[in-house]
C-alpha cells in the first residue's frame, strides 16, 4: 500500500510540482486548493482554506476516508501582502501570519496524532530565504516564514521519540507566476543577488521535498534546507 502525502497549496507553482513529484514516486497524494483544483488526474483534489480549522479537519477526514492516514504533510500554502512597514495595515500583517504560519500549527496539530499512533511521519514546511535574511516591504511575510523554523524545531524535539521528523525548506526566488508578474527590471535586480545567477525551477524544490519525505532522510530533523542559489549565505 502506497504512503499518503498531503500537500497544501498544490494547484500551481511549488505545491503542484511537489505533489506531482511525490505522485511519480508512488505516493497517494492529496492536493489542496481553494478555488481551482489541480488538473493532474493522478492527484486527489481536496478543497481547503488553511486559515480555517474546520476546513482543515474536513480535508483530513476526506483524505483518511479515501486514501488512508497522512504520513507526509507538506505545508506549502501561503500568501503575500507586501508593503513598507509604515504603510502596512494590521490586517495585512495578521492575515499573512495566519495563512503562512498559524496554518502550519493547525495542519501539524491535526496530522500529528495519527502519525503518533503509526509511530512514523514526515512534516515539511515550505519557508523562504526571506525568513532568515529579511526583505524590505515584506516584514509580515519574513516574520511568518521565520516562525516556521521555530515551529518545526519544536515539533522535531517533541516527537522524535515517535519517529516523526519535522524540517523546513527555504527556497530562494523560484520560477513561478509570482516571478512572471514582475517587471524586467525587478527580475534583473533579484537575479543580481543570486550567486548562481538564475531562478530555481519548481521541480528543484520538489526534489528536495521528496528526499525529506523519503526513508533515506529518516535521520534528518529540525533542519533548514536552503534551495536558494546561494542567496542566503552569510
Amino acid at each position: 500500500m502506497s504512503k499518503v502525502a498531503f500537500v497544501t497549496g498544490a494547484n500551481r507553482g511549488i505545491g503542484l510540482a511537489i505533489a506531482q513529484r511525490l505522485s511519480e514516486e508512488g505516493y497517494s497524494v492529496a492536493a489542496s486548493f481553494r478555488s481551482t483544483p489541480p488538473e493532474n488526474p493522478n492527484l486527489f483534489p481536496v478543497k481547503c482554506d488553511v486559515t480555517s480549522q474546520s476546513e482543515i479537519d474536513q480535508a483530513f477526514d476526506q483524505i483518511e476516508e479515501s486514501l488512508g492516514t497522512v504520513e507526509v504533510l507538506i505545508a506549502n500554502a501561503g500568501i503575500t501582502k507586501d508593503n513598507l512597514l509604515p504603510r502596512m495595515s494590521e490586517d495585512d500583517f495578521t492575515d499573512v501570519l495566519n495563512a503562512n504560519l498559524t496554518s502550519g500549527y493547525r495542519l501539524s496539530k491535526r496530522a500529528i496524532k495519527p502519525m503518533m499512533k503509526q509511530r512514523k511521519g514526515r512534516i515539511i514546511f515550505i519557508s523562504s530565504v526571506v525568513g532568515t535574511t529579511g526583505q524590505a516591504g515584506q516584514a509580515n511575510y519574513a516574520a511568518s516564514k521565520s516562525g516556521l523554523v521555530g515551529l518545526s524545531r519544536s515539533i522535531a524535539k517533541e516527537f522524535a521519540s515517535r519517529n516523526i521528523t519535522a524540517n523546513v525548506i527555504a527556497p530562494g526566488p523560484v520560477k513561478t507566476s509570482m516571478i512572471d508578474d514582475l517587471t524586467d527590471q525587478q527580475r534583473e535586480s533579484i537575479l543580481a543577488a543570486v550567486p548562481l545567477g538564475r531562478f530555481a525551477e519548481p521541480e528543484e524544490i520538489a526534489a528536495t521535498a521528496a528526499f525529506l519525505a523519503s526513508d533515506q532522510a529518516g535521520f534528518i530533523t529540525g533542519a533548514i534546507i536552503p534551495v536558494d542559489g546561494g542567496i542566503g549565505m552569510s
Side-chain angles (χ1 to χ4, degrees):
M1 187 174 179
S2 61
K3 294 182 180 179
V4 177
F6 181 24
V7 185
T8 66
N11 60 318
R12 61 179 181 173
I14 293 172
L16 179 59
I18 293 172
Q20 292 180 154
R21 174 62 181 261
L22 293 178
S23 176
E24 290 166 3
E25 294 198 1
Y27 292 80
S28 296
V29 182
S32 89
F33 66 96
R34 284 198 302 172
S35 55
T36 305
E39 296 181 356
N40 189 324
N42 295 321
L43 304 179
F44 180 74
V46 181
K47 193 173 189 303
C48 180
D49 180 350
V50 295
T51 66
S52 167
Q53 185 66 62
S54 63
E55 290 202 21
I56 287 173
D57 291 341
Q58 290 171 12
F60 270 90
D61 290 345
Q62 187 178 350
I63 295 165
E64 289 165 351
E65 182 178 346
S66 300
L67 303 178
T69 300
V70 173
E71 293 185 33
V72 177
L73 169 65
I74 300 182
N76 165 76
I79 63 171
T80 58
K81 290 189 176 183
D82 298 349
N83 216 330
L84 295 176
L85 189 62
R87 301 174 186 169
M88 185 178 292
S89 70
E90 186 162 334
D91 283 347
D92 284 350
F93 191 87
T94 56
D95 286 351
V96 170
L97 261 69
N98 188 23
N100 298 0
L101 175 57
T102 310
S103 65
Y105 149 78
R106 296 187 187 102
L107 288 160
S108 53
K109 184 178 181 180
R110 176 59 180 80
I112 206 76
K113 287 184 179 179
M115 289 180 179
M116 289 173 66
K117 289 180 181 178
Q118 294 196 145
R119 300 190 69 84
K120 60 181 176 179
R122 299 278 190 269
I123 297 176
I124 302 167
F125 296 104
I126 306 301
S127 179
S128 168
V129 65
V130 171
T132 54
T133 64
Q135 178 63 40
Q138 290 194 317
N140 50 3
Y141 184 76
S144 69
K145 293 300 187 178
S146 178
L148 289 172
V149 175
L151 176 62
S152 173
R153 287 180 166 170
S154 297
I155 292 170
K157 289 184 176 181
E158 286 186 29
F159 301 102
S161 64
R162 298 300 182 98
N163 196 33
I164 297 168
T165 65
N167 293 290
V168 170
I169 298 174
V174 183
K175 197 180 295 182
T176 63
S177 59
M178 187 180 298
I179 292 293
D180 293 339
D181 291 340
L182 299 177
T183 65
D184 290 342
Q185 185 176 359
Q186 288 172 320
R187 282 192 289 269
E188 289 172 6
S189 176
I190 294 171
L191 279 176
V194 182
L196 285 180
R198 67 175 177 85
F199 297 121
E201 297 290 341
E203 290 75 19
E204 292 176 299
I205 315 302
T208 306
F211 170 68
L212 288 175
S214 71
D215 292 340
Q216 288 72 30
F219 205 58
I220 301 173
T221 194
I224 307 171
I225 311 296
V227 189
D228 60 10
I231 197 173
M233 288 189 290
S234 60

